[in-house]
Amino acid sequence: LDSNKVETRVLFNDRLVTLSENTGKEVGELTVSVERSTYTGRECYLVQASSNGVVDTVPVGTNITAYVSPSLETMEHTQYEYVNMPGNTLTKKSVLSVEEDGGYHFSLVNTAGGQDTTVTQQFTPDEMVHFISEGANIVLQRLAVVLGMKSRMSFKALGVNNSVVPVTYAMLESRSISVQNVTLDCVGVERTLEDEEPTTWQLYFLNDGHMYTRSQIDSPVYMKIKSLPETFLKDEEADWVFPDFGKGRLNWEDDLEMYSLFLDRKEELKEDHVSYMRRHPELKAILGDFLQFLLMRKPSDVIEFAADFFSSYSSTAELKPTFAHSEFVNKSAIRTE
């Protein structure tokens, strides 16, 4: 295949929603982008990935920024992970950068309970032969789909304990899926990190390289697209035609399935809002105080009055007399004897 055509096939964005295996509800999202860039004067791909969500009521996330050469050499790779546990946020930030001799410098900062622990490590050029970082992995998977990977592939990656371990890629049996009333074939890739406790991911891609679904074995969540990517819909070389249903008025209230989905979503949002209010009783007190002061003073400029009121809760706001905009009081509303 033409190299420019292949490169174009890996330069796009992906967006998937994260769903609970148990309930099927959305609990987060995954966004991925690959674009052309330069690193220390060399042409490369800038890979960015962000996965954020809630697992067992705990906010968690991973963010990756990587500079990867067209030959899949990782020039620099930064990964930030967090777990916002009640009263204790755990974070982990790692930076892997290539050195002039082809080796790599690795630094890791773990933060727990407000205390930082720093670890540094050097990897020799021989250790990093055929190394594929998490950022390079994203480009590799897209290339595997575009080029039609047939056989098993083996590389190296960083394991859980930051040691170099084998990582393998194998094709899964293709399957047909339906998105927006279009039936498409998906290409499957299984990635296994051969660590002390192996970790396996199964991914399915549309034939243009867009990720359709991603799951980690034994994980309580999985990821999936909600609709066909815009670039896929505009693909002039696609071997399918998107159906034209014409334009017409959507009477969704007459559609029992859609109306049921509406009611379910309405109740879900209501429960979520009530739960949040229950977890933050101070919110009701703050809003009550604000309305009480507002009705007592009856300012002509409600926006300025509100800004003054809520600025007292900010640790960065400039100190000034409480309710500096009291001159906005509607004097006509004050009784005179």
Side-chain angles (χ1 to χ4, degrees):
L1 293 177
D2 181 80
S3 60
N4 291 328
K5 184 177 180 180
V6 171
E7 182 180 73
T8 302
R9 290 286 190 167
V10 302
L11 300 176
F12 55 81
N13 301 337
D14 270 330
R15 179 182 180 275
L16 293 82
V17 293
T18 305
L19 304 167
S20 168
E21 283 280 9
N22 296 325
T23 65
K25 294 183 178 180
E26 292 185 22
V27 294
E29 72 170 5
L30 168 68
T31 57
V32 180
S33 68
V34 180
E35 58 187 73
R36 290 188 182 92
S37 185
T38 58
Y39 182 82
T40 62
R42 295 174 57 189
E43 293 187 357
C44 65
Y45 300 134
L46 169 60
V47 182
Q48 295 176 295
S50 178
S51 173
N52 300 283
V54 177
V55 177
D56 295 331
T57 72
V58 177
V60 298
T62 301
N63 299 291
I64 291 173
T65 300
Y67 293 91
V68 180
S69 76
S71 60
L72 300 185
E73 174 196 8
T74 298
M75 301 170 173
E76 183 179 279
H77 186 282
T78 302
Q79 182 164 324
Y80 177 79
E81 303 171 58
Y82 68 87
V83 179
N84 287 341
M85 299 180 66
N88 183 25
T89 297
L90 309 177
T91 65
K92 181 193 298 184
K93 181 179 180 181
S94 63
V95 179
L96 182 71
S97 54
V98 68
E99 300 186 318
E100 291 184 3
D101 65 354
Y104 282 83
H105 175 76
F106 175 79
S107 64
L108 171 67
V109 179
N110 284 306
T111 302
Q115 300 294 320
D116 291 345
T117 303
T118 302
V119 176
T120 60
Q121 193 169 346
Q122 294 292 132
F123 295 102
T124 67
D126 289 340
E127 287 180 295
M128 303 301 276
V129 173
H130 304 310
F131 173 76
I132 295 292
S133 66
E134 291 297 317
N137 164 66
I138 292 171
V139 181
L140 174 61
Q141 289 175 153
R142 292 181 176 183
L143 287 172
V145 174
V146 172
L147 297 176
M149 181 183 79
K150 302 297 183 182
S151 58
R152 183 185 182 91
M153 300 188 299
S154 297
F155 298 94
K156 297 176 183 176
L158 286 186
V160 176
N161 296 321
N162 308 315
S163 57
V164 178
V165 299
V167 60
T168 60
Y169 295 81
M171 297 302 294
L172 296 172
E173 185 176 351
S174 61
R175 66 184 188 187
S176 295
I177 54 98
S178 179
V179 183
Q180 295 176 248
N181 296 308
V182 176
T183 301
L184 302 167
D185 289 330
C186 272
V187 180
V189 177
E190 183 174 81
R191 176 177 181 248
T192 301
L193 194 67
E194 304 288 354
D195 212 335
E196 294 178 4
E197 294 186 7
T199 305
T200 299
W201 295 264
Q202 292 185 339
L203 307 96
Y204 281 87
F205 298 84
L206 304 179
N207 58 17
D208 71 339
H210 277 285
M211 193 185 304
Y212 168 68
T213 184
R214 176 182 187 272
S215 61
Q216 179 180 330
I217 302 301
D218 296 328
S219 171
V221 299
Y222 67 99
M223 300 164 185
K224 184 178 181 180
I225 63 170
K226 293 185 71 174
S227 58
L228 287 173
E230 183 179 350
T231 51
F232 187 85
L233 295 175
K234 294 180 178 179
D235 187 355
E236 297 178 354
E237 299 179 4
D239 56 3
W240 58 274
V241 177
F242 192 77
D244 183 6
F245 297 105
K247 294 183 178 180
R249 184 178 179 183
L250 177 62
N251 297 317
W252 62 272
E253 292 177 307
D254 296 333
D255 188 313
L256 293 179
E257 183 177 359
M258 293 189 68
Y259 190 62
S260 176
L261 290 173
F262 165 75
L263 293 178
D264 288 344
R265 181 58 176 162
K266 181 179 178 181
E267 288 302 314
E268 180 183 338
L269 288 174
K270 183 178 178 180
E271 292 177 7
D272 182 61
H273 296 165
V274 170
S275 175
Y276 182 82
M277 294 282 288
R278 191 180 299 115
R279 295 197 307 271
H280 297 277
E282 69 277 11
L283 180 60
K284 188 174 182 180
I286 292 172
L287 293 177
D289 288 346
F290 170 69
L291 287 175
Q292 182 179 23
F293 277 108
L294 180 71
L295 296 175
M296 287 176 58
R297 301 193 176 218
K298 297 180 176 63
S300 57
D301 193 324
V302 175
I303 302 300
E304 290 288 354
F305 184 83
D308 278 345
F309 180 88
F310 288 106
S311 67
S312 63
Y313 292 93
S314 172
S315 59
T316 59
E318 179 183 355
L319 293 177
K320 55 185 177 181
T322 305
F323 306 115
H325 286 85
S326 58
E327 65 267 26
F328 289 106
V329 172
N330 186 352
K331 294 181 174 56
S332 64
I334 302 178
R335 294 184 179 180
T336 56
E337 298 298 333

